[in-house]
Amino acid sequence: MKKSAEPKYATRQSNFELLRIVAMAMIVMHHFFYWNKFPLYLQPLGKKRLFIQTFLATEGRVGVDLFFAISIWFLCKPHRQITLHSTAKRAWILERTLLFWSILLGVISLVFKLTPIRASIFIEMFLPLLSYHWWYATIYVLILLLLPMLVKGLSSLTQRQHFALVCIILFMGPFIGDIPGLYNSIINDDILEMLCLLILVCYIRWYHEQLSSVWTGFGCLVLGYLVIGLQDLTAYTAFPQTPFNAIFPKMLNLGILVQAFGWFILFSHLHFHSKIINWTASHVFAIYLITEFVPIRDWLWKSMFDYEPYYRSRIMCALYPIGVVLLVCIVCILLDVVKSVIFKLTVDRNKGHWFELAWNHASEFLNKRNQAARIQNTKTNQNASVKETSQH
């Protein structure tokens, strides 16, 4: 694998942090249309609907690809040693954030009667990862725990073998995903998709870190939007009454991958440093956690921000969702700032201390068991040797 020079700002590169912010805005925009009380997919297909569905409503798929790719891009640097200790610590720290928001949002939902009292709400509050309440967080933590083994396996491949694996993914993904109405009925495995993205990103990171030119990025964007637009037309013709999320494939879709790659190329050519952007990007994950907590999500998109009155307007049909997404993102970031202050005064005073204690105790326990097993094996072998010698 190629060695790469460490950037000036190795911790946070503002160009990719800005892309992280854009990706989260895309995700929230997708959720606005998908969960909204107003059914966009039931509206007659015309210029307005095609524009909104192509450039706004389905951008969340691109956002998920980008958000995950950025994380893997920095985790899987060439020749960087990835250990289970480091990835488990990341998962531990993330779990604290998930637990904070799940309990707080659950209590708010119960107090303001946004959800009925049921057993599942308490499971979601106290076991956010196991309940799969935030699907992305659950899969991300799972991949974090598997990452040392996955990277070791991929790094054992030659560049040619890794490239062959990438070609298989790119070849099989469109065949599964680009047939409208077929994808969700055959496979709905988010983990498989994320693992495929991991393989793609690692190949680019290790062997083609210097990405293509800006014009290639623009070309990928245009091609991606064209593919998505054609898919929308095909889907409407074949399944006119089906929600666009059901007929629209997930992250391995060709149009989605090409468009995400275009965004990634364009932002990789930006070179600047901004403390404001870096600070903002550090809080954007809370936007997803807050807006995707089911009672809060239903309240936001089905009660608070109904899209129907604005869809008829030629201008507000696009400006209203953009304005709502910006407002929601700003409010969620401010709420996460409050959370960060609370954490700084409490659990972050000695960040990772409890994890280190648990890790050391677990390591000590396993070492003692392994040592006892080795001693037992040695005694067994010695007894067997003595017995064999006495027989002779």
Side-chain angles (χ1 to χ4, degrees):
M1 292 182 291
K2 295 179 181 180
K3 291 184 178 180
S4 59
E6 288 294 322
K8 183 179 179 181
Y9 303 101
T11 304
R12 285 191 178 273
Q13 296 181 33
S14 298
N15 55 339
F16 287 113
E17 297 305 324
L18 178 60
L19 182 58
R20 195 191 300 270
I21 297 170
V22 172
M24 183 54 67
M26 291 177 175
I27 294 169
V28 178
M29 182 69 74
H30 171 72
H31 291 161
F32 170 87
F33 286 101
Y34 180 59
W35 298 112
N36 203 277
K37 182 181 178 180
F38 178 71
L40 178 66
Y41 65 92
L42 292 179
Q43 307 310 307
L45 184 66
K47 294 180 181 179
K48 181 191 295 186
R49 178 188 159 179
L50 190 59
F51 172 83
I52 292 172
Q53 191 161 317
T54 302
F55 293 97
L56 296 178
T58 52
E59 285 297 278
R61 311 304 187 144
V62 180
V64 173
D65 275 6
L66 290 172
F67 204 87
F68 181 74
I70 293 168
S71 298
I72 298 301
W73 184 263
F74 289 106
L75 283 173
C76 299
K77 293 180 180 179
H79 300 287
R80 175 181 180 177
Q81 185 178 6
I82 301 175
T83 63
L84 182 59
H85 174 271
S86 62
T87 56
K89 189 173 183 178
R90 283 177 175 270
W92 175 287
I93 293 173
L94 177 59
E95 168 65 12
R96 300 179 317 161
T97 301
L98 299 179
L99 198 59
F100 173 86
W101 284 118
S102 61
I103 294 176
L104 177 61
L105 296 175
V107 170
I108 291 174
S109 301
L110 292 172
V111 170
F112 290 95
K113 298 181 179 180
L114 299 178
T115 183
I117 298 177
R118 47 188 171 84
S120 59
I121 190 68
F122 293 101
I123 296 175
E124 293 165 3
M125 287 171 59
F126 295 101
L127 298 171
L129 281 177
L130 296 180
S131 64
Y132 204 69
H133 187 76
W134 291 300
W135 71 268
Y136 180 88
T138 300
I139 292 176
Y140 181 69
V141 167
L142 179 61
I143 289 181
L144 271 180
L145 298 177
L146 296 175
L147 194 60
M149 289 72 77
L150 293 172
V151 170
K152 187 174 182 179
L154 289 174
S155 61
S156 67
L157 301 176
T158 64
Q159 180 177 353
R160 188 172 183 177
Q161 291 170 332
H162 198 159
F163 178 72
L165 188 58
V166 168
C167 290
I168 292 172
I169 293 172
L170 293 177
F171 178 77
M172 295 300 295
F175 276 94
I176 296 174
D178 288 345
I179 303 175
L182 186 62
Y183 183 78
N184 283 346
S185 61
I186 291 181
I187 183 171
N188 188 19
D189 195 339
D190 297 317
I191 297 176
L192 176 61
E193 292 180 333
M194 290 299 192
L195 289 175
C196 291
L197 284 174
L198 170 70
I199 294 170
L200 294 173
V201 174
C202 284
Y203 179 80
I204 297 172
R205 180 60 157 156
W206 295 346
Y207 304 113
H208 297 283
E209 187 176 0
Q210 300 300 322
L211 296 173
S212 303
S213 66
V214 174
W215 290 110
T216 303
F218 278 116
C220 288
L221 280 183
V222 172
L223 178 60
Y225 280 118
L226 284 175
V227 172
I228 291 172
L230 290 174
Q231 287 176 331
D232 289 342
L233 285 172
T234 305
Y236 179 81
T237 303
F239 306 95
Q241 302 300 316
T242 304
F244 56 79
N245 199 70
I247 59 179
F248 202 85
K250 293 195 175 181
M251 286 81 73
L252 293 182
N253 171 268
L254 181 61
I256 297 296
L257 284 176
V258 170
Q259 191 184 146
F261 189 61
W263 284 112
F264 207 90
I265 291 173
L266 290 178
F267 277 80
S268 70
H269 286 277
L270 299 177
H271 301 287
F272 66 97
H273 180 71
S274 171
K275 291 183 179 179
I276 295 176
I277 288 177
N278 294 348
W279 174 85
T280 304
S282 67
H283 293 284
V284 294
F285 191 60
I287 301 172
Y288 166 75
L289 298 179
I290 296 172
T291 59
E292 273 300 283
F293 192 79
V294 174
I296 303 298
R297 181 184 71 195
D298 292 341
W299 173 73
L300 277 175
W301 309 133
K302 294 181 180 178
S303 299
M304 191 71 178
F305 298 110
D306 185 8
Y307 184 48
E308 185 173 5
Y310 301 94
Y311 180 72
R312 312 302 172 190
S313 171
R314 183 172 298 180
I315 298 177
M316 292 304 293
C317 66
L319 292 182
Y320 178 74
I322 293 173
V324 167
V325 168
L326 287 176
L327 175 63
V328 169
C329 289
I330 291 172
V331 172
C332 290
I333 287 173
L334 293 177
L335 290 175
D336 195 61
V337 171
V338 176
K339 186 272 298 180
S340 298
V341 173
I342 296 173
F343 271 36
K344 190 174 182 180
L345 297 175
T346 54
V347 295
D348 278 351
R349 295 183 68 178
N350 196 352
K351 194 173 183 179
H353 175 69
W354 290 104
F355 171 81
E356 295 297 342
L357 287 177
W359 183 270
N360 291 336
H361 282 300
S363 299
E364 185 179 352
F365 173 75
L366 292 175
N367 288 335
K368 286 181 178 179
R369 287 198 61 180
N370 291 335
Q371 186 177 3
R374 285 195 297 269
I375 293 173
Q376 184 63 35
N377 290 335
T378 302
K379 289 181 178 179
T380 302
N381 293 334
Q382 288 176 350
N383 292 335
S385 299
V386 170
K387 186 177 180 180
E388 184 179 350
T389 303
S390 62
Q391 288 176 351
H392 287 291

PDB file of all heavy atoms in Angstrom, residues 369-384:
ATOM      1  N   ARG A 369      -7.048 -16.879  32.592  1.00  0.00           N
ATOM      2  CA  ARG A 369      -7.659 -18.096  32.052  1.00  0.00           C
ATOM      3  C   ARG A 369      -6.738 -18.772  31.050  1.00  0.00           C
ATOM      4  O   ARG A 369      -6.586 -20.004  31.052  1.00  0.00           O
ATOM      5  CB  ARG A 369      -9.002 -17.768  31.387  1.00  0.00           C
ATOM      6  CG  ARG A 369     -10.121 -17.451  32.359  1.00  0.00           C
ATOM      7  CD  ARG A 369     -11.465 -17.564  31.698  1.00  0.00           C
ATOM      8  NE  ARG A 369     -11.711 -18.918  31.217  1.00  0.00           N
ATOM      9  CZ  ARG A 369     -12.830 -19.294  30.591  1.00  0.00           C
ATOM     10  NH1 ARG A 369     -13.792 -18.416  30.386  1.00  0.00           N
ATOM     11  NH2 ARG A 369     -12.981 -20.526  30.172  1.00  0.00           N
ATOM     12  N   ASN A 370      -6.117 -17.966  30.185  1.00  0.00           N
ATOM     13  CA  ASN A 370      -5.204 -18.539  29.195  1.00  0.00           C
ATOM     14  C   ASN A 370      -3.983 -19.168  29.865  1.00  0.00           C
ATOM     15  O   ASN A 370      -3.513 -20.238  29.458  1.00  0.00           O
ATOM     16  CB  ASN A 370      -4.763 -17.466  28.206  1.00  0.00           C
ATOM     17  CG  ASN A 370      -5.887 -17.006  27.301  1.00  0.00           C
ATOM     18  OD1 ASN A 370      -6.840 -17.752  27.083  1.00  0.00           O
ATOM     19  ND2 ASN A 370      -5.791 -15.793  26.787  1.00  0.00           N
ATOM     20  N   GLN A 371      -3.476 -18.477  30.909  1.00  0.00           N
ATOM     21  CA  GLN A 371      -2.334 -19.012  31.627  1.00  0.00           C
ATOM     22  C   GLN A 371      -2.687 -20.323  32.329  1.00  0.00           C
ATOM     23  O   GLN A 371      -1.912 -21.291  32.297  1.00  0.00           O
ATOM     24  CB  GLN A 371      -1.828 -17.986  32.640  1.00  0.00           C
ATOM     25  CG  GLN A 371      -0.550 -18.396  33.349  1.00  0.00           C
ATOM     26  CD  GLN A 371      -0.045 -17.315  34.281  1.00  0.00           C
ATOM     27  OE1 GLN A 371      -0.680 -16.283  34.431  1.00  0.00           O
ATOM     28  NE2 GLN A 371       1.099 -17.553  34.917  1.00  0.00           N
ATOM     29  N   ALA A 372      -3.886 -20.356  32.955  1.00  0.00           N
ATOM     30  CA  ALA A 372      -4.322 -21.589  33.621  1.00  0.00           C
ATOM     31  C   ALA A 372      -4.509 -22.713  32.607  1.00  0.00           C
ATOM     32  O   ALA A 372      -4.163 -23.875  32.872  1.00  0.00           O
ATOM     33  CB  ALA A 372      -5.624 -21.331  34.369  1.00  0.00           C
ATOM     34  N   ALA A 373      -5.037 -22.372  31.421  1.00  0.00           N
ATOM     35  CA  ALA A 373      -5.224 -23.387  30.377  1.00  0.00           C
ATOM     36  C   ALA A 373      -3.890 -23.927  29.895  1.00  0.00           C
ATOM     37  O   ALA A 373      -3.733 -25.134  29.647  1.00  0.00           O
ATOM     38  CB  ALA A 373      -6.018 -22.791  29.218  1.00  0.00           C
ATOM     39  N   ARG A 374      -2.891 -23.035  29.759  1.00  0.00           N
ATOM     40  CA  ARG A 374      -1.564 -23.482  29.314  1.00  0.00           C
ATOM     41  C   ARG A 374      -0.919 -24.395  30.360  1.00  0.00           C
ATOM     42  O   ARG A 374      -0.284 -25.404  30.019  1.00  0.00           O
ATOM     43  CB  ARG A 374      -0.671 -22.272  29.035  1.00  0.00           C
ATOM     44  CG  ARG A 374      -0.995 -21.542  27.740  1.00  0.00           C
ATOM     45  CD  ARG A 374       0.124 -20.597  27.346  1.00  0.00           C
ATOM     46  NE  ARG A 374       0.311 -19.540  28.337  1.00  0.00           N
ATOM     47  CZ  ARG A 374      -0.293 -18.367  28.292  1.00  0.00           C
ATOM     48  NH1 ARG A 374      -1.141 -18.101  27.288  1.00  0.00           N
ATOM     49  NH2 ARG A 374      -0.070 -17.460  29.213  1.00  0.00           N
ATOM     50  N   ILE A 375      -1.069 -24.007  31.628  1.00  0.00           N
ATOM     51  CA  ILE A 375      -0.510 -24.850  32.696  1.00  0.00           C
ATOM     52  C   ILE A 375      -1.171 -26.218  32.706  1.00  0.00           C
ATOM     53  O   ILE A 375      -0.506 -27.259  32.833  1.00  0.00           O
ATOM     54  CB  ILE A 375      -0.679 -24.140  34.068  1.00  0.00           C
ATOM     55  CG1 ILE A 375       0.189 -22.877  34.118  1.00  0.00           C
ATOM     56  CG2 ILE A 375      -0.311 -25.084  35.210  1.00  0.00           C
ATOM     57  CD1 ILE A 375      -0.034 -22.033  35.348  1.00  0.00           C
ATOM     58  N   GLN A 376      -2.494 -26.215  32.539  1.00  0.00           N
ATOM     59  CA  GLN A 376      -3.230 -27.485  32.512  1.00  0.00           C
ATOM     60  C   GLN A 376      -2.809 -28.341  31.334  1.00  0.00           C
ATOM     61  O   GLN A 376      -2.624 -29.557  31.456  1.00  0.00           O
ATOM     62  CB  GLN A 376      -4.734 -27.196  32.449  1.00  0.00           C
ATOM     63  CG  GLN A 376      -5.608 -28.436  32.504  1.00  0.00           C
ATOM     64  CD  GLN A 376      -5.464 -29.196  33.816  1.00  0.00           C
ATOM     65  OE1 GLN A 376      -5.287 -28.586  34.863  1.00  0.00           O
ATOM     66  NE2 GLN A 376      -5.525 -30.516  33.756  1.00  0.00           N
ATOM     67  N   ASN A 377      -2.613 -27.726  30.176  1.00  0.00           N
ATOM     68  CA  ASN A 377      -2.163 -28.462  28.993  1.00  0.00           C
ATOM     69  C   ASN A 377      -0.759 -29.032  29.196  1.00  0.00           C
ATOM     70  O   ASN A 377      -0.457 -30.166  28.778  1.00  0.00           O
ATOM     71  CB  ASN A 377      -2.182 -27.559  27.759  1.00  0.00           C
ATOM     72  CG  ASN A 377      -3.590 -27.227  27.315  1.00  0.00           C
ATOM     73  OD1 ASN A 377      -4.519 -27.978  27.596  1.00  0.00           O
ATOM     74  ND2 ASN A 377      -3.745 -26.102  26.626  1.00  0.00           N
ATOM     75  N   THR A 378       0.098 -28.220  29.844  1.00  0.00           N
ATOM     76  CA  THR A 378       1.467 -28.686  30.107  1.00  0.00           C
ATOM     77  C   THR A 378       1.455 -29.906  31.035  1.00  0.00           C
ATOM     78  O   THR A 378       2.160 -30.903  30.797  1.00  0.00           O
ATOM     79  CB  THR A 378       2.295 -27.548  30.727  1.00  0.00           C
ATOM     80  OG1 THR A 378       2.301 -26.427  29.851  1.00  0.00           O
ATOM     81  CG2 THR A 378       3.725 -28.021  30.981  1.00  0.00           C
ATOM     82  N   LYS A 379       0.634 -29.818  32.102  1.00  0.00           N
ATOM     83  CA  LYS A 379       0.536 -30.945  33.031  1.00  0.00           C
ATOM     84  C   LYS A 379      -0.011 -32.188  32.334  1.00  0.00           C
ATOM     85  O   LYS A 379       0.474 -33.308  32.548  1.00  0.00           O
ATOM     86  CB  LYS A 379      -0.361 -30.572  34.211  1.00  0.00           C
ATOM     87  CG  LYS A 379       0.272 -29.559  35.163  1.00  0.00           C
ATOM     88  CD  LYS A 379      -0.680 -29.267  36.325  1.00  0.00           C
ATOM     89  CE  LYS A 379      -0.037 -28.296  37.310  1.00  0.00           C
ATOM     90  NZ  LYS A 379      -0.954 -27.978  38.429  1.00  0.00           N
ATOM     91  N   THR A 380      -1.026 -31.970  31.499  1.00  0.00           N
ATOM     92  CA  THR A 380      -1.618 -33.099  30.773  1.00  0.00           C
ATOM     93  C   THR A 380      -0.593 -33.758  29.863  1.00  0.00           C
ATOM     94  O   THR A 380      -0.489 -34.996  29.789  1.00  0.00           O
ATOM     95  CB  THR A 380      -2.829 -32.621  29.954  1.00  0.00           C
ATOM     96  OG1 THR A 380      -3.781 -32.018  30.826  1.00  0.00           O
ATOM     97  CG2 THR A 380      -3.482 -33.776  29.226  1.00  0.00           C
ATOM     98  N   ASN A 381       0.194 -32.943  29.155  1.00  0.00           N
ATOM     99  CA  ASN A 381       1.220 -33.483  28.255  1.00  0.00           C
ATOM    100  C   ASN A 381       2.310 -34.211  29.031  1.00  0.00           C
ATOM    101  O   ASN A 381       2.806 -35.264  28.598  1.00  0.00           O
ATOM    102  CB  ASN A 381       1.841 -32.355  27.430  1.00  0.00           C
ATOM    103  CG  ASN A 381       0.849 -31.751  26.445  1.00  0.00           C
ATOM    104  OD1 ASN A 381      -0.088 -32.438  26.038  1.00  0.00           O
ATOM    105  ND2 ASN A 381       1.066 -30.499  26.070  1.00  0.00           N
ATOM    106  N   GLN A 382       2.672 -33.641  30.210  1.00  0.00           N
ATOM    107  CA  GLN A 382       3.692 -34.290  31.030  1.00  0.00           C
ATOM    108  C   GLN A 382       3.211 -35.641  31.550  1.00  0.00           C
ATOM    109  O   GLN A 382       3.947 -36.633  31.546  1.00  0.00           O
ATOM    110  CB  GLN A 382       4.080 -33.384  32.200  1.00  0.00           C
ATOM    111  CG  GLN A 382       4.895 -32.167  31.789  1.00  0.00           C
ATOM    112  CD  GLN A 382       5.169 -31.235  32.960  1.00  0.00           C
ATOM    113  OE1 GLN A 382       4.592 -31.402  34.036  1.00  0.00           O
ATOM    114  NE2 GLN A 382       6.065 -30.264  32.742  1.00  0.00           N
ATOM    115  N   ASN A 383       1.962 -35.683  32.013  1.00  0.00           N
ATOM    116  CA  ASN A 383       1.389 -36.945  32.502  1.00  0.00           C
ATOM    117  C   ASN A 383       1.328 -37.981  31.398  1.00  0.00           C
ATOM    118  O   ASN A 383       1.593 -39.190  31.613  1.00  0.00           O
ATOM    119  CB  ASN A 383       0.011 -36.714  33.084  1.00  0.00           C
ATOM    120  CG  ASN A 383       0.034 -35.889  34.366  1.00  0.00           C
ATOM    121  OD1 ASN A 383       1.066 -35.880  35.067  1.00  0.00           O
ATOM    122  ND2 ASN A 383      -1.052 -35.200  34.668  1.00  0.00           N
ATOM    123  N   ALA A 384       0.958 -37.503  30.218  1.00  0.00           N
ATOM    124  CA  ALA A 384       0.888 -38.424  29.073  1.00  0.00           C
ATOM    125  C   ALA A 384       2.269 -38.960  28.730  1.00  0.00           C
ATOM    126  O   ALA A 384       2.431 -40.163  28.405  1.00  0.00           O
ATOM    127  CB  ALA A 384       0.269 -37.715  27.873  1.00  0.00           C
TER     128      ALA A 384
END
